[in-house]
Amino acid sequence: MQNLLKNGIAITGSGSAVPSTSLENEVLTQLVETSDEWITTRTGIRQRQLALPPESLTILATDASKQAITAAGITAADIDLILLATSTPDDLFGSACRIQAELDATKAVAFDLTAACSGFLFGLVTAAQFIRTGVYQNVLLIGADILSRWVDWQDRRTCVLFGDGAGAVILQANNSDRLLGFSLKSDGTQNHHLNLAYEGTTQQVTPDIHVPRGTYHPISMNGKEVYRFAVQKVPEVIDKALFEAHLTVDRIDWLILHQANQRIINAVADRLNIPDHKVISNVAHYGNTSAASIPLALDEAVRQGKIKPNDIIATSGFGAGLSWGAAIFQWAR
């Protein structure tokens, strides 16, 4: 009966982790024809963190999760569900169960969710449904990616963009519902603009049967089309989430977008008439960390004392799929 009474959601703790190795723009000028000025002017990125062995997605995600669990004032034993939003697991079968083991979250069910740079947003809404139906009380949601594994470091269009990291939050059942509104979208007709596509080589099973041996191409992106898509669709989806939340844009305390490109962040904020002092951005330091970017930026702002209890946050993820979405939530219980 208690589960049915507490069917609201509160995001009560956050954590983040990044690799120890930093790659500045100046180093990239030695690999491809580019410059620090070109990169910063067009993307806002000055450096990114890269995961080197023995660092792994599991290690980064576990570190971020431990911080979030502590911040929420619970233990790993309290967690009912672990959702890992990632496109780059350590194991193609999934890494959530390995994180569950590392945390010793013995009663938690764990699985991966893939929606690329929209993964954290899609995971947030997925986690909320488990809580709202009374199935689970405490959910650990992780956004983590190591995109450096899949970057062609000779492709100047993509190698300047991506970094590695992990962020995590705890969602808990609550008497009041702090997830105020959301909207999710997908358009597979534009999939070709941003993908990490399958590539197979042939292996012989019998003289008559040849099957592919799988790997993947490096990340491929049409930057102009992705920029155009994001600048048009993200303000629209945030407006829809605000409508569902019965709020106007002036009620937003903070805007946290997927940290893909500072020009996109600025353009979206301008279209929504959100002033600069309400916009949270750390893309200069970490680059595009895919599913990790929103929770990483959120956790950094919380620990800096910017985001305070009851602040209203508008957030939006967008990227491969193509997929995009927005959520409006109030921080903490």
Side-chain angles (χ1 to χ4, degrees), residues 2-10 74 77-83 100 105-111 123 125-141 170-175:
Q2 184 181 8
N3 286 4
L4 296 176
L5 294 174
K6 286 183 131 184
N7 60 355
I9 301 108
I74 62 173
D78 297 317
I79 297 172
D80 303 304
L81 170 66
I82 299 171
L83 284 178
Q100 182 237 26
T106 53
K107 77 171 184 177
V109 63
F111 62 89
V125 174
T126 301
Q129 308 318 305
F130 282 103
I131 294 175
R132 282 178 169 165
T133 55
V135 176
Y136 297 129
Q137 297 286 292
N138 300 299
V139 179
L140 168 62
L141 170 62
I170 297 292
L171 292 87
Q172 295 186 273
N174 199 59
N175 288 324

Side-chain angles (χ1 to χ4, degrees), residues 176-305:
S176 63
D177 197 347
R178 299 304 184 97
L179 179 58
L180 307 176
F182 67 85
S183 180
L184 303 179
K185 301 289 182 179
S186 299
D187 182 3
T189 66
Q190 299 189 68
N191 174 263
H192 57 287
H193 290 316
L194 176 55
N195 57 44
L196 206 170
Y198 170 81
E199 176 184 31
T201 58
T202 301
Q203 55 183 337
Q204 182 175 321
V205 179
T206 72
D208 299 320
I209 299 174
H210 297 78
V211 299
R213 174 177 293 164
T215 183
Y216 292 88
H217 289 282
I219 295 169
S220 172
M221 183 174 70
N222 183 329
K224 289 182 180 179
E225 289 301 322
V226 172
Y227 178 89
R228 185 178 302 150
F229 143 76
V231 170
Q232 176 187 351
K233 296 297 185 181
V234 172
E236 291 177 1
V237 81
I238 291 174
D239 275 337
K240 288 180 180 179
L242 283 167
F243 179 80
E244 183 180 327
H246 305 291
L247 294 173
T248 52
V249 72
D250 58 288
R251 292 289 308 281
I252 295 172
D253 294 303
W254 301 103
L255 176 67
I256 306 179
L257 300 181
H258 165 50
Q259 305 289 295
N261 183 308
Q262 189 62 49
R263 291 171 63 211
I264 294 175
I265 295 170
N266 293 343
V268 171
D270 287 345
R271 290 200 178 192
L272 291 169
N273 293 316
I274 296 176
D276 290 346
H277 70 270
K278 290 186 175 184
V279 179
I280 290 173
S281 173
N282 61 7
V283 68
H285 304 294
Y286 304 112
N288 182 342
T289 57
S290 192
S293 76
I294 292 173
L296 204 164
L298 171 69
D299 179 60
E300 196 168 72
V302 169
R303 294 179 187 277
Q304 290 172 350

